Amino acid sequence: MKKKHVVFFFPWKEISGGPVYLSGLANTLAQQPEYAVGYVDYPQGITDTMLCKEVERISYFEPFSFPCSDPLTLVIPIYCASHIPPLHPDSKLLFVNWHNYSIQALLDSWRLTRENLREFLLLVRKTDSVFFLDKTHWLAQNEWIQSENCTFRERYVPTTVVPKAVRSTGKMVCDKELHIAVLGRLCKDKIFSLLNLIHQLDTLETDYRIHLHVIGEGSEAYRLQRVELRENLYLHREGTITGTKLSEFLAERTDILFAMGLSVLEGAAIALPSVVMPHNVKKFNLDAYAFLQDCQGYALGWYDTQLKELKIPTYPLEEILHTLYAPGGKQQIGMNAFEYAKKNHFDNRALMMEALFATTLSAKDFSSFQKRQGKIYFCKIPIARLESSFDEGEKRVSFLGIQNFCESKKTPEGRYFCLLGKRQKIFQAKKENGYFRLYIGSKRIPFIKL
């Protein structure tokens, strides 16, 4: 019997939950004899050590094309839809939404009008070609088609975690001290969650020493340098820790884990009390946290504004910590987290296979929509096309049929511009409020964000 060919497409350079999630799905599916599974990543990418031997590694280079031209099913984050490579017209597409900001990111990177975006999302809904990491992302994506009075199917494929050999002892690390771990990248959509937690810790009335162990790095780490801490609150930057070393650190040196997404399951996998943090991409103030075992709809993270819709029981930080310090509290809460993870996040292959079977979106139908996007028109005549590399590091404009007429390239020092292949010093890009703004000499060009 000929195997069904499924390829996961997500070349990524940073350690984050996305590659861990997708490589986990690929590994799970590869154990099914009816599937031949591949994964697209950069050569010597971070998933090399995550993927099992049954998954074919496909190296990513730009411009990208698959080494074989046979029909396949491509699994890709929905915010990467603008970067889908050429496929056999009978291939199928299956999108995954794992982030509340996915559709806004797609809107920005694909340069769609809102009318075009709705057209795309309705196509996805009609063809049942999207699954969700959890209910929060289903709710967030529904917001973009509310005017159509319809919703996406609640099709979930939760993230998985492998139970660890290391286990928490259930005993507090030190008397009259509290050791809290926060695990995750220090990026825009997570840093404000950490800052909110620090604020809530600052308001606690306790004589205990509180040690906050921040595990992870990211572009927004500089914000922690501006934080003033109370006298008995200590912040420890632990950097990036992964694998067995992470499990050992959490088990031996921490009492409780605060995180979101895949990261919160790292605590549950070793029977450590695990708490889900609210988050947003801007500053917020919310004293409401949920034990992992109280989560519903596979939700492992949510915007501070989504709690009413999710109806998840939450508690103020003081009550969370009081429960932890009750006799036998740490051990009981940790075991509850472990049992929740065992029930919901140890095996998701059946849900993944259902999602693959359900999609009816062909590459041919998607291509007819894709070709109309990213173009600049003059009197309804296309005169230019905007394109970008997968990681948005390079952005290109083709003008009147001239390929790469203008290019913008990101470097550690900033962005520089090329015109017909020659670097132009007059153009500059300066980072302002998370975006690069374009300047000609010392004058900023309005409305342009890179």
Side-chain angles (χ1 to χ4, degrees):
M1 183 179 72
K2 188 175 181 180
K3 291 189 174 185
K4 303 170 185 175
H5 196 188
V6 178
V7 175
F8 293 80
F9 190 93
F10 190 59
W12 200 248
K13 296 178 180 178
E14 298 179 348
I15 295 176
S16 64
V20 177
Y21 175 48
L22 282 189
S23 62
L25 294 181
N27 290 340
T28 297
L29 198 63
Q31 306 310 311
Q32 297 295 118
E34 64 267 40
Y35 289 97
V37 181
Y39 195 105
V40 179
D41 199 357
Y42 292 102
Q44 299 178 335
I46 60 175
T47 57
D48 277 1
T49 58
M50 300 177 187
L51 296 169
C52 66
K53 63 181 181 179
E54 289 81 9
V55 177
E56 178 190 5
R57 274 76 163 173
I58 303 172
S59 294
Y60 179 80
F61 298 95
E62 291 191 7
F64 179 80
S65 61
F66 281 102
C68 71
S69 56
D70 296 336
L72 53 84
T73 299
L74 190 73
V75 183
I76 186 171
I78 195 166
Y79 64 84
C80 300
S82 59
H83 297 290
I84 290 177
L87 295 168
H88 187 288
D90 293 333
S91 292
K92 296 291 181 65
L93 298 176
L94 180 59
F95 299 107
V96 51
N97 185 324
W98 63 39
H99 201 293
N100 285 338
Y101 199 68
S102 283
I103 304 306
Q104 182 62 55
L106 176 65
L107 184 66
D108 294 341
S109 65
W110 209 353
R111 301 165 184 87
L112 297 170
T113 65
R114 293 194 172 245
E115 182 180 348
N116 288 151
L117 178 64
R118 281 196 298 274
E119 182 185 354
F120 168 69
L121 292 177
L122 291 173
L123 173 66
V124 169
R125 178 184 178 274
K126 178 182 177 182
T127 55
D128 202 2
S129 55
V130 63
F131 65 91
F132 300 89
L133 177 63
D134 60 42
K135 191 164 186 175
T136 62
H137 307 108
W138 176 78
L139 289 170
Q141 188 161 309
N142 280 332
E143 292 179 359
W144 294 86
I145 57 169
Q146 283 180 341
S147 59
E148 308 294 334
N149 294 320
C150 58
T151 60
F152 293 92
R153 182 189 295 273
E154 286 192 65
R155 188 178 296 285
Y156 302 121
V157 182
T159 188
T160 58
V161 65
V162 178
K164 315 294 183 182
V166 177
R167 286 292 184 90
S168 170
T169 64
K171 298 179 180 179
M172 303 301 290
V173 174
C174 295
D175 291 336
K176 296 187 177 181
E177 286 190 3
L178 179 62
H179 288 261
I180 298 173
V182 176
L183 175 62
R185 283 189 303 138
L186 303 179
C187 52
K188 184 177 180 181
D189 54 300
K190 296 182 179 180
I191 189 65
F192 295 106
S193 180
L194 174 55
L195 295 176
N196 178 64
L197 176 62
I198 292 174
H199 173 70
Q200 306 308 330
L201 287 170
D202 258 337
T203 62
L204 280 180
E205 295 184 5
T206 178
D207 295 328
Y208 284 14
R209 289 184 178 182
I210 302 174
H211 295 270
L212 188 62
H213 302 272
V214 178
I215 306 170
E217 297 289 352
S219 59
E220 301 296 315
Y222 71 91
R223 295 181 184 272
L224 295 179
Q225 299 173 2
R226 304 173 181 174
V227 175
E228 295 184 5
L229 302 175
R230 57 189 282 179
E231 186 176 347
N232 62 336
L233 178 58
Y234 304 89
L235 192 150
H236 307 275
R237 294 283 305 281
E238 306 293 353
T240 300
I241 311 175
T242 59
T244 303
K245 290 184 178 179
L246 174 61
S247 298
E248 292 173 348
F249 182 92
L250 293 174
E252 297 169 5
R253 298 182 54 185
T254 69
D255 298 311
I256 190 169
L257 172 66
F258 283 73
M260 65 189 79
L262 179 65
S263 296
V264 76
L265 295 178
E266 292 292 334
I270 64 168
L272 181 74
S274 303
V275 174
V276 181
M277 311 164 70
H279 68 283
N280 209 316
V281 294
K282 58 185 179 181
K283 185 177 180 180
F284 68 96
N285 181 5
L286 180 66
D287 187 14
Y289 297 89
F291 288 114
L292 174 64
Q293 54 267 28
D294 291 332
C295 291
Q296 302 169 19
Y298 303 108
L300 302 178
W302 43 78
Y303 275 168
D304 57 310
T305 56
Q306 290 182 306
L307 281 175
K308 288 184 179 180
E309 290 180 280
L310 290 169
K311 299 178 181 178
I312 293 174
T314 60
Y315 307 92
L317 182 60
E318 184 176 12
E319 189 170 345
I320 293 278
L321 300 181
H322 178 76
T323 306
L324 178 72
Y325 261 96
K330 180 178 178 179
Q331 185 175 29
Q332 185 60 58
I333 299 170
M335 283 307 302
N336 290 344
F338 179 85
E339 291 299 325
Y340 170 88
K342 180 179 178 180
K343 179 181 177 181
N344 296 281
H345 297 282
F346 280 4
D347 189 354
N348 60 6
R349 74 183 69 188
L351 295 173
M352 183 68 219
M353 292 166 64
E354 287 177 10
L356 287 167
F357 179 79
T359 179
T360 60
L361 179 58
S362 70
K364 179 181 178 181
D365 290 340
F366 174 76
S367 180
S368 63
F369 176 86
Q370 185 184 36
K371 289 177 180 177
R372 292 185 279 121
Q373 311 312 318
K375 293 183 179 180
I376 299 174
Y377 293 85
F378 178 74
C379 294
K380 298 185 178 181
I381 300 173
I383 61 171
R385 184 178 183 88
L386 306 176
E387 298 175 300
S388 61
S389 61
F390 189 87
D391 62 359
E392 299 288 321
E394 296 184 14
K395 300 188 179 184
R396 302 176 288 270
V397 177
S398 299
F399 181 67
L400 296 178
I402 303 174
Q403 294 293 319
N404 301 335
F405 177 81
C406 179
E407 297 175 273
S408 161
K409 297 185 179 182
K410 184 179 179 181
T411 68
E413 295 76 31
R415 281 192 176 270
Y416 67 86
F417 297 84
C418 293
L419 188 62
L420 296 175
K422 294 184 178 181
R423 184 168 176 172
Q424 305 296 311
K425 294 183 178 180
I426 189 172
F427 291 103
Q428 298 182 41
K430 299 179 182 179
K431 194 168 186 179
E432 299 175 5
N433 298 324
Y435 294 96
F436 282 100
R437 300 285 189 171
L438 182 60
Y439 284 76
I440 296 182
S442 60
K443 188 172 182 180
R444 191 179 86 175
I445 300 178
F447 310 119
I448 294 182
K449 297 179 182 179
L450 301 172

